[in-house]
Amino acid sequence: MAQILIVDDDHQLRQSFERLLLAEGHEVRTAASGEAGIEAMRASLPEVVIMDVRMPGMSGLEAFRRMREIAPKLPVIVMTAFGTTETAIEATKMGAFDYILKPFDIPQVLKLITDALAAGRFMRGRVEVDASSASESEEALVGRSQAMQEIYKAIGRAAPTDATVLIRGESGTGKELVAKAIYQHSLRADKPFMVINCVAIPETLLESELFGYEKGAFTGASARRVGKIEQAHRGTVFLDEIGDMPLSIQAKILRLLQERHIERLGGRQPIPVDVRIIAATNRDLEKAVAEGQFREDLYYRLKVVTMRLPPLAERAGDTPLLAEYFLARYAREMHLQSPGLTPDAARYLAARPWPGNVRELANTVHKALIFNRGGPLSEAEMREAAEGQERSKAARMEVESDGRLQEWIRSELTAGEGRDAFDGLMDRFGSIIIREALTLSGGNRTRAARMLGLSRPTLLSKIDKYGLRIEAQVSAADD
Ligand SMILES: Nc1ncnc2c1ncn2[C@@H]1O[C@H](COP(=O)(O)OP(=O)(O)OP(=O)(O)O)[C@@H](O)[C@H]1O
Ligand SMILES: [Mg+2]
């Protein structure tokens, strides 16, 4: 749930937006002019603004400029009717998050809002590097092992330069978190951060997503479109899963790195862009180069500053620290006191292999906390959470039968008085339900959506909202 502000002089459009977004569980405010929009923003800051560029009175562009002054990182989505795309493009160049053309394609609008919310949260949230008492900070890189100390130093050295950084490491080792930390400690911290997941976007769309296109570049290109890289001008672009990027696009990225300009599809003149590139992959790039899947010249260009995130098994002593950190974080989310770990439980976690690395550890701790029967988490509880679905299914039955669930709801209600306890609880249940549907569907989101009776975009927005990530392989196999 997020606060969204709609600014449009068209009464009907405001209403239909309001209805749509309320149904999605958002809080919506509306304003009929640029002036009123700015007023509304001053009264209370929304998380996303959706604004028409063509309104009587203050122009959309002027309104956008002032909003930018009030909240430089607030994502603003600009709406435009066919024929006024130039204004929308201008707004994007001034830093608007993106623009949409009327009439709207609803799933597309919802997806854009989800992306804008994620981008806003991403830019706002601070990542503390090497926090000794991390539990109170919003997000932190936790770990005191020698291997992680080296990473902190590398972040400190690389962040304030404009150097391209390549982050490598197995799945779940924290590559995205490190990318975020580099961005936030860089000189571009107050400029946009654009995340592009090279596997999540179908190959046919990736090129136009990244580079944009000119009108008539291909069938269906009825108006010019600015790509993500151009939108991130003066900011940072995070190319996640770059090892999976198609060769044709690799060539264009290489050109961007060498010549500092891009070309829109169907465009004739190069457009200079100033972006810093951070890339990440869990692929064996050397092998990909040998097999002709990855350009050697791009590989050399990227690897100048490389950070190799060690698997959890190589971070001696960090596992219990991380477990305590996640326990504190999840407990806070549930308005509970962290129950802590017994020494046996800590030893068990430290000795166990974690093929899914930090992500798997975090999920296990989360599960254990949900089913905790009171008192510090024991080795048995941890084992139960760590070992497969069968055991956790049994535990769930127990939760229902021993009144633990009711007890938890009661504690939420008393702790959450005056806060939005209902929404908080529903979110917790929602996240459990969706996680289960994804498990049953083997990670296939289309099947999970069918199982849940949700539209696919709605499911995707919820996955995003609850931070439920799916492994890359699974998402690639989806659809
Ligand atoms: N050192 C750390 N301290 C605290 N949290 C961490 C740390 N490393 C990872 N995490 C958390 O673990 C989860 C997984 O990390 P992240 O998404 O960055 O992994 P990744 O390397 O990008 O994985 P993938 O290759 O699967 O995309 C995230 O929730 C992240 O915040
Ligand atoms: Mg990642």
Side-chain angles (χ1 to χ4, degrees):
M1 189 201 50
Q3 284 167 25
I4 300 178
L5 174 64
I6 312 286
V7 188
D8 197 313
D9 55 321
D10 180 342
H11 172 71
Q12 225 168 4
L13 193 134
R14 287 200 306 272
Q15 255 190 351
S16 34
F17 249 117
E18 193 165 10
R19 224 174 290 133
L20 175 70
L21 296 178
L22 283 175
E24 286 290 308
H26 296 300
E27 243 172 67
V28 185
R29 283 183 297 155
T30 59
S33 67
E35 289 88 341
I38 289 163
E39 237 2 83
M41 248 183 87
R42 286 227 167 84
S44 132
L45 216 54
E47 279 180 67
V48 167
V49 177
I50 305 174
M51 179 169 71
D52 193 4
V53 284
R54 261 228 170 134
M55 291 179 287
M58 185 190 286
S59 79
L61 276 186
E62 179 56 19
F64 174 71
R65 213 182 46 73
R66 298 213 193 158
M67 286 177 174
R68 191 71 340 172
E69 279 165 15
I70 302 171
K73 292 190 190 182
L74 177 71
V76 177
I77 297 170
V78 170
M79 294 186 278
T80 180
F82 193 76
T84 58
T85 29
E86 282 312 312
T87 326
I89 290 175
E90 215 166 306
T92 351
K93 283 187 168 165
M94 284 163 64
F97 180 74
D98 209 334
Y99 60 89
I100 41 180
L101 290 174
K102 297 178 189 177
F104 306 125
D105 171 34
I106 290 178
Q108 198 189 337
V109 170
L110 291 177
K111 167 83 172 50
L112 198 56
I113 292 173
T114 308
D115 288 352
L117 283 170
R121 290 197 187 116
F122 203 109
M123 288 191 258
R124 276 195 311 272
R126 291 272 312 166
V127 182
E128 261 181 66
V129 175
D130 190 18
S132 36
S133 66
S135 58
E136 285 308 309
S137 71
E138 214 178 323
E139 225 178 344
L141 274 162
V142 175
R144 292 189 207 136
S145 57
Q146 191 56 41
M148 285 309 285
Q149 302 282 356
E150 292 304 322
I151 296 291
Y152 304 146
K153 274 187 240 160
I155 293 173
R157 274 194 303 266
T161 72
D162 254 349
T164 303
V165 180
L166 176 64
I167 306 168
R168 304 185 64 171
E170 290 176 10
S171 184
T173 46
K175 296 185 291 297
E176 186 169 333
L177 196 58
V178 166
K180 191 168 166 182
I182 295 172
Y183 158 68
Q184 288 180 343
H185 292 85
S186 77
L187 303 173
R188 295 171 183 248
D190 60 345
K191 297 291 187 306
F193 184 92
M194 199 64 86
V195 182
I196 294 145
N197 188 318
C198 304
V199 247
I201 304 171
E203 181 170 344
T204 44
L205 286 183
L206 186 59
E207 189 171 5
S208 57
E209 269 296 290
L210 286 170
F211 299 98
Y213 50 78
E214 293 295 340
K215 182 176 172 176
F218 47 84
T219 344
S222 52
R224 170 184 292 167
R225 172 107 204 138
V226 173
K228 296 272 183 213
I229 293 177
E230 224 179 309
Q231 278 176 37
H233 188 49
R234 297 193 208 295
T236 307
V237 172
F238 176 42
L239 297 173
D240 203 359
E241 321 277 6
I242 197 169
D244 297 85
M245 182 181 269
L247 281 163
S248 61
I249 301 180
Q250 291 175 26
K252 291 195 145 190
I253 294 292
L254 179 68
R255 229 177 121 203
L256 166 67
L257 289 173
Q258 283 172 339
E259 295 164 32
R260 302 276 149 202
H261 65 238
I262 57 147
E263 246 166 58
R264 299 190 190 122
L265 268 77
R268 270 175 239 292
Q269 88 254 59
I271 299 162
V273 278
D274 167 20
V275 290
R276 181 206 200 154
I277 302 283
I278 302 176
T281 186
N282 56 16
R283 284 282 175 106
D284 180 345
L285 282 186
E286 290 73 15
K287 186 160 160 260
V289 168
E291 288 171 355
Q293 303 291 316
F294 202 83
R295 289 184 68 113
E296 193 171 13
D297 44 10
L298 179 59
Y299 166 71
Y300 281 112
R301 189 96 203 177
L302 285 174
K303 73 172 221 167
V304 178
V305 180
T306 297
M307 291 182 197
R308 239 174 235 283
L309 295 190
L312 190 49
E314 289 168 25
R315 305 182 197 179
D318 284 356
T319 304
L321 282 180
L322 280 160
E324 292 278 6
Y325 165 73
F326 288 120
L327 205 50
R329 258 183 73 176
Y330 294 131
R332 197 162 51 237
E333 269 175 38
M334 291 161 71
H335 306 293
L336 296 173
Q337 283 265 329
S338 169
L341 295 169
T342 66
D344 277 351
R347 264 193 296 277
Y348 166 75
L349 292 178
R352 207 176 178 281
W354 297 101
N357 293 295
V358 184
R359 180 182 295 117
E360 189 186 359
L361 174 66
N363 289 342
T364 302
V365 167
H366 197 177
K367 224 190 248 174
L369 180 64
I370 291 174
F371 298 118
N372 175 233
R373 298 172 196 89
L377 288 171
S378 65
E379 179 185 342
E381 282 174 296
M382 276 301 172
R383 194 182 290 278
E384 201 166 26
E387 283 173 12
Q389 293 304 313
E390 286 316 303
R391 276 165 178 276
S392 67
K393 251 184 222 152
R396 204 158 317 142
M397 310 283 266
E398 230 175 286
V399 166
E400 270 137 40
S401 58
D402 73 358
R404 177 77 194 144
L405 180 62
Q406 286 83 344
E407 197 182 305
W408 174 60
I409 293 172
R410 276 197 294 271
S411 77
E412 277 286 276
L413 293 177
T414 37
E417 218 167 302
R419 275 172 279 176
D420 37 6
F422 184 77
D423 286 337
L425 282 164
M426 291 313 276
D427 278 355
R428 297 235 50 87
F429 289 128
S431 123
I432 295 171
I433 293 167
I434 287 175
R435 204 186 293 264
E436 289 308 312
L438 286 168
T439 305
L440 283 177
S441 74
N444 183 314
R445 288 169 287 188
T446 308
R447 264 179 52 210
R450 216 176 305 137
M451 217 180 274
L452 292 162
L454 294 175
S455 74
R456 199 167 177 278
T458 307
L459 175 63
L460 293 183
S461 77
K462 289 191 191 303
I463 289 176
D464 205 63
K465 175 174 165 193
Y466 300 137
L468 304 171
R469 293 301 212 82
I470 306 169
E471 299 308 316
Q473 297 89 310
V474 176
S475 44
D478 200 358
D479 293 290

